[in-house]
Structure formats: structure tokens, C-alpha cells
Amino acid sequence: METNGEPITAPPNEAFDTLLVLDFGSQYSHLITRRLRDLQIYSELLPCTANISELPWKPKGIILSGGPYSVYEKDAPHVNWAQLSSLGVPILGICYGLQEIAWHFDNSNVLAGEKREYGHARVKIEKHKGEAVHADKLFNGLGNEMDVYMSHGDKLSHIPQSFSVIADTPNAPLAAIVHNTKPIYGIQFHPEVTHTPKGTELLRNFAVDICEARQHWTMDEFVGKEIARIRALVGEKGQVIGAVSGGVDSTVAAKLMNEAIGPRFHAILVDNGLLRQDEAKTVHKTLTEDLGIRLTVVDASQRFLDELRGVTEPEKKRRIIGRNFIEVFQEEAKKIEEAAASSPQAGEIEWLLQGTLYPDVIESISFKGPSATIKTHHNVGGLPGIMHLKLIEPLRELFKEQVILHFRLRCRLYFICNVPSGGPINARHVILPNARTKLGIPERLVWRHPFPGPGLAIRVLGEVTESQLAIARHADVIFQEEIVAGGFYREISQSFAAVLPVKAVGVAGDKRIWAQVISLRAVQTTDFMTADFWYPPKEFIKKVSLRITNEVNGVSRVVFDLTSKPPGTIEME
């Protein structure tokens, strides 16, 4: 069986024209992939040390990311140029990637700059019409000058042999270069960040005009092929169990699975004692009554809390929670399998559904080039050997914004507003006056702020106890109530109250108290890989603080987290 002439089991990098981004460690590497997908071009991020010759698919083009290293350093990462050249596809080097290209042709071409360049710069574009026919394609339609974002200390000292200059700045006279006969380009600035206003257009020039990649990576196309792929993988009798939390990621994954195989999908909500107030009841009602998904709620709260007793290290918390999740799944899978043995849905449970997203994958893997592992996601890699189920992750190739935006756009009534000229549409531009989507997903769920897999265990800093969890729940309820009442919920991407592992002196009823400190956090983001803190109005935060200190027993102070990502992460642990 095939879809549009392509095998239904084909992964996205085989079903769609794909650009490969090789990561040398820049904090912006993921944004290159994100911008390409905004252009409806599928892209994947791999470490610069990846063995490209072993890829089962051929990219339409390759982008070398920026990075924190100097190419001339002893331990600096380098790409395998023999493998790269053998593909015969266009190459674009960004920042460190530019220097990697120049260093490859002559390792004396790169040196430490006398003046570091961080922030805004203006590049002058040099035309080469009549010379190399491909030279002007990268900057085609971008004018004679463009504003860009620079972030580099090193720079090119010489033009590599057989290259020409196609852009310059006063501090970087070799700000962009092109090979005279091959489609190899290098730029010193970062087109992937929003501070380079025409950066997405430049990436489009490279991907579409130079690499000739088709812009056919759409969510509708993806969803149709993914449902067909699931059916092919699972077969006619295969059974799947899946973790659900009530969040957008797991709910969308469950909805896709339910559409693909119907009653042979068994959703499981593990009440690990780390959920928000009344979470299990709310999720059960939403999934069973609103979405028609078979759901089993497993109360394993005491099991998790016992295992977490005395544990304070964040990564250890995550590992404990991840291991127990898998064990509970296995136990529940056996029960479901036995119960279904004599029914029309009889069949062995072989698969475990997880709502893994691409940012989860990126943040959980430490490459030679990229930023070190930020955190371990309970549903990405490192699964214990005791798990005897095969993973099926229908959202693994997607950014959170792609998942959220797609299902917001599938509402009966919506309109788009305030889109920057030439810019991509994101979820913040979508207004939904109706309460239900065409797929039957309630609006309250589609707009719901993300909740982490480890739950409140990473919002209670330090040891997780029932008393600390009670404080976190109560404070969070107040925070969310006031966000909704103030009309701020949709302009915030994620928000929560965290219990800090410290106590502070306060005064209550003319008595001195020594009690807990609550940290409130709210961020705004389009991709959850980077985020800005949301700055609350004074009267709002004053009301929230007053309510928490008055209503939540054991709290003496409230602070507000004003940290962006990076340098912070969205969650506290």
C-alpha cells in the first residue's frame, strides 16, 4: 500500500525533500531547523560528527551550524569533508560553519579577530552577475544591504582559493563567501535568529532556489502519512498502550493513534502523586467523554513518592520517575492483554506510544558539537532494559509549535491577525472564538499550557514530600486562576508556581514565621527551545503574591522568576 506513490512506512526524511543541519554546538542550531520547517521544508539536526555515509537517505542540501569553538583549536570539532563532498549537494556554512569551510581549504584562513562582534551589524551585498551564475542566488531579492545578527570572535583572514566575497561589514570584510564553481556558501552572521529580519528569506533562497527542495512539508500531509505509517507498523491485530497526561502533546499523539487503530489503542494515565490539583479526574473526563479514547487511570502515587523519598538531585528524580513509568506500563499492559484475550481486540501488546517531540530529542542528546545535555526527558532514550515494548512516537519529528498550531488551525472558526510582513504564522497569531475543534479536541485543551512528564517533582526543588507538593499545588491553582481572570493565559506559553528549597522569615498575625518561598514563572515562546520571561503587570503580581501568602499555609514569600531561556531552562529542574 502506498500514499502519493511513496511507501507508507517511509520516515519523513525519505518521504519529503530534506535539508540536513550539522550541529557544531551553537545555541541557535535548532532554530535553523525550525526556520526551514516554517518554510514547509523538512529538515533534521544531526551532530557534526555524524557518519553521513551511513544515512539511508540523501539530503537536498547541508547547513553547517555555528558553534562555541575556534576551528584552529586542537579539540575543535570538524566535519568529514570526504563524506560531505561525496554527496555533491549544496553547502551553507553559518558563523563557525563558514570558518570550517575556509579552514578546510587552508587552515591559515581563520584567525582570532582583534575585535569581537556581537549583536547588530549591517552587511553590504556584493553582486557578481556575469561571473559565477550561482554566486548571487543566496542574497537574491534581499537588496544591497541587510541588517544581521553577529556573534563571533574569530574571522576569516584570507579568501579561500577558488572563492569570492559576496558580502562584507567594516569589521568582517569577508562576511560572506561563495565557491566560484560549486554551490558552497559561507556567511559570518546568523540568519536563523529573529534579529536578522530577512534571515528566513536567505534560508529560503538556499533551500529552494539553490538546493531545489520542494516546500511540501505540511502538517496535513504529515498527519495523513503518519496515520498510514502507524497502521502499517502495528498491523491488523497489534495492540498499543500509551502514556497520556492531558497535555497537548500526549493528547494529540493519542488522538492520532485512536484514529489509526481505534479500540486497539489503550491510553494509560499514571497518577504518580505528582500531578496538579484534580488533574487525574479532569484528564479522565476530557479523554473519555470528549475524545472517545479508552483510558485507564492507574493510581501509583504512593509507589512514586516512596521511591522519591530523600532524593534531591534533579536528574536522579527524572530517572526514578522514568523507570517507574515503564514498570507501571508493563504491569498494566499485561492486565490489558489478559482482559482482551477473548475479545475481538485480542492481540499481543507490542508497542508503547509516547508524545516525544523534537525539542525533547535535541535537549536529551549531548553531541560533540552541540550544547551539553540540558536535561533528560523521561520519554527520550535511556529507557531501562526491562522495557520489552517497542516505541512508537508519531510526533518525534515535530516542534511543539507545529503540534499546537496545527490543531489550533483546525478549528471550525478562527482568524489570523498581526502577522509580520513576510513572516511565518505562529500560534500567537491565531484567534479561536469557538470552543471545539473539528477533531473534537476542546479549545481549553488545545490552548493548555504544557505540563512536564516528571510533574511537580521538578517544581518542588529539593526533596519531594506530600507537604511540599500540597504547597506547590495550592500556589499554582491561585497563580493559574489569576492568569485566567486577568486575561493573560493565551499570551503566556507556560506558567507555574515552584517551591524553592529554602525558607525565609516573615510576619503573619503579628507573629514571626519561618516558612517556604514560592517562585512564580511565566514565559513566552514560539518553539520552547528559547523563551523570554513574561513581565507581569504590577497590580497582577501584587494580587497573586497577596493571595498566596494569605491562603497557602507554610509560605512566607513570593518571588518572580525573570530569567530567559537561555541561560535558564523553562522548568526549574
Side-chain angles (χ1 to χ4, degrees):
M1 181 178 176
E2 296 189 353
T3 302
N4 294 333
E6 295 167 343
I8 58 176
T9 55
N13 49 40
E14 294 180 19
F16 299 92
D17 288 353
T18 303
L19 261 70
L20 173 61
V21 180
L22 292 179
D23 181 19
F24 286 89
S26 169
Q27 61 180 312
Y28 307 123
S29 295
H30 65 279
L31 289 177
I32 305 172
T33 300
R34 182 72 179 105
R35 299 296 171 248
L36 290 169
R37 294 191 185 185
D38 284 343
L39 292 166
Q40 297 185 344
I41 299 167
Y42 185 69
S43 62
E44 286 195 6
L45 180 72
L46 289 178
C48 60
T49 52
N51 190 342
I52 301 173
S53 64
E54 293 183 353
L55 292 178
W57 51 278
K58 181 180 178 180
K60 297 289 289 186
I62 293 176
I63 297 178
L64 310 180
S65 83
Y69 307 94
S70 293
V71 292
Y72 47 77
E73 291 177 341
K74 180 181 178 182
D75 296 324
H78 298 287
V79 73
N80 186 320
W81 278 93
Q83 294 180 2
L84 214 62
S85 301
S86 67
L87 291 175
V89 298
I91 298 171
L92 171 64
I94 296 174
C95 197
Y96 181 96
L98 159 73
Q99 296 160 18
E100 171 71 0
I101 291 171
W103 185 87
H104 165 68
F105 284 91
D106 185 339
N107 57 24
S108 67
N109 282 334
V110 184
L111 53 82
E114 296 178 2
K115 179 182 177 183
R116 294 178 179 272
E117 193 169 21
Y118 298 108
H120 174 268
R122 191 164 182 82
V123 299
K124 180 181 178 182
I125 299 168
E126 298 186 17
K127 303 296 182 181
H128 288 262
K129 290 181 178 178
E131 299 176 24
V133 293
H134 64 284
D136 292 333
K137 285 187 174 181
L138 190 65
F139 290 101
N140 185 41
L142 301 183
N144 297 320
E145 293 185 330
M146 63 181 289
D147 293 322
V148 301
Y149 180 80
M150 292 280 194
S151 180
H152 68 100
D154 298 338
K155 64 181 182 180
L156 303 195
S157 57
H158 302 91
I159 304 174
Q161 189 175 1
S162 301
F163 279 77
S164 298
V165 177
I166 51 176
D168 65 81
T169 72
N171 186 53
L174 309 179
I177 61 174
V178 63
H179 194 280
N180 293 332
T181 60
K182 301 176 182 178
I184 302 176
Y185 303 80
I187 54 178
Q188 187 62 74
F189 56 91
H190 289 271
E192 68 272 26
V193 299
T194 55
H195 303 298
T196 300
K198 296 182 179 179
T200 300
E201 296 172 54
L202 184 147
L203 290 173
R204 183 206 170 278
N205 286 347
F206 177 72
V208 178
D209 296 341
I210 296 170
C211 300
E212 299 182 348
R214 289 174 293 169
Q215 293 174 276
H216 62 151
W217 163 251
T218 66
M219 283 301 300
D220 282 337
E221 186 79 8
F222 168 79
V223 168
K225 290 187 176 182
E226 189 60 25
I227 288 175
R229 188 182 74 89
I230 290 170
R231 288 173 179 158
L233 285 173
V234 175
E236 295 181 0
K237 294 186 176 181
Q239 305 276 325
V240 180
I241 61 171
V244 296
S245 65
V248 173
D249 306 340
S250 66
T251 302
V252 170
K255 184 65 177 175
L256 283 173
M257 188 61 62
N258 205 52
E259 288 193 6
I261 63 172
R264 290 184 288 124
F265 169 59
H266 311 272
I268 298 174
L269 171 65
V270 176
D271 185 352
N272 55 12
L274 306 170
L275 302 179
R276 290 173 288 195
Q277 189 165 299
D278 299 324
E279 188 91 352
K281 294 179 182 178
T282 301
V283 174
H284 184 269
K285 180 180 183 300
T286 298
L287 268 65
T288 57
E289 296 182 17
D290 295 337
L291 301 182
I293 295 174
R294 294 166 58 121
L295 175 66
T296 299
V297 178
V298 182
D299 185 358
S301 53
Q302 198 58 53
R303 173 176 180 166
F304 279 79
L305 294 177
D306 287 346
E307 290 261 358
L308 289 169
R309 187 173 291 115
V311 178
T312 59
E313 203 273 316
E315 279 297 291
K316 189 173 182 181
K317 288 182 186 179
R318 288 178 178 270
R319 288 193 294 271
I320 289 172
I321 293 167
R323 173 172 54 79
N324 277 276
F325 258 116
I326 299 304
E327 291 175 356
V328 171
F329 280 139
Q330 283 191 302
E331 295 164 7
E332 198 59 36
K334 186 176 180 180
K335 295 177 185 177
I336 292 172
E337 195 171 86
E338 291 172 352
S342 58
S343 73
Q345 286 78 43
E348 183 182 355
I349 291 182
E350 302 178 72
W351 299 89
L352 171 65
L353 171 72
Q354 289 187 335
T356 309
L357 296 177
Y358 204 46
D360 300 340
V361 177
I362 293 172
E363 288 191 342
S364 294
I365 300 174
S366 180
F367 304 128
K368 161 86 171 172
S371 23
T373 299
I374 298 171
K375 60 190 175 186
T376 298
H377 289 262
H378 75 283
N379 58 347
V380 181
L383 296 174
I386 60 172
M387 192 190 76
H388 304 301
L389 299 174
K390 293 176 284 188
L391 278 181
I392 185 166
E393 302 169 302
L395 309 181
R396 185 182 176 89
E397 310 302 333
L398 303 181
F399 285 91
K400 182 179 287 289
E401 180 72 0
Q402 291 173 294
V403 176
I404 293 174
L405 179 57
H406 175 67
F407 287 94
R408 288 178 184 175
L409 288 177
R410 294 189 69 167
C411 288
R412 287 197 181 102
L413 294 173
Y414 68 89
F415 60 90
I416 310 296
C417 65
N418 300 325
V419 183
S421 177
I425 297 172
N426 64 49
R428 199 157 300 162
H429 303 132
V430 181
I431 306 299
L432 302 180
N434 201 351
R436 298 181 66 82
T437 70
K438 288 182 179 179
L439 292 181
I441 300 178
E443 183 185 357
R444 68 179 183 276
L445 178 57
V446 173
W447 287 93
R448 190 173 186 259
H449 290 175
F451 186 64
L456 296 179
I458 57 173
R459 294 179 179 178
V460 171
L461 280 66
E463 183 179 5
V464 180
T465 65
E466 292 186 9
S467 60
Q468 294 290 76
L469 288 169
I471 291 173
R473 287 192 182 98
H474 195 174
D476 190 66
V477 166
I478 292 171
F479 191 29
Q480 301 305 321
E481 285 177 352
E482 294 302 329
I483 287 175
V484 171
F488 304 122
Y489 195 82
R490 288 194 185 176
E491 68 180 69
I492 298 171
S493 303
Q494 189 165 342
S495 57
F496 59 88
V499 181
L500 301 185
V502 294
K503 290 186 177 181
V505 172
V507 177
D510 295 328
K511 291 183 179 180
R512 179 184 182 277
I513 61 171
W514 187 51
Q516 212 72 53
V517 179
I518 292 291
S519 175
L520 303 179
R521 181 153 174 74
V523 299
Q524 295 175 318
T525 178
T526 58
D527 55 23
F528 288 87
M529 294 296 292
T530 59
D532 291 325
F533 62 84
W534 176 70
Y535 201 91
K538 180 180 177 181
E539 289 306 312
F540 167 81
I541 200 65
K542 182 177 179 181
K543 184 177 181 180
V544 173
S545 176
L546 186 63
R547 281 197 62 189
I548 290 175
T549 51
N550 281 344
E551 299 175 29
V552 183
N553 291 329
V555 174
S556 64
R557 298 193 182 209
V558 175
V559 298
F560 199 88
D561 188 339
L562 301 179
T563 311
S564 296
K565 175 186 179 180
T569 54
I570 292 179
E571 293 292 338
M572 299 291 285
E573 290 189 342

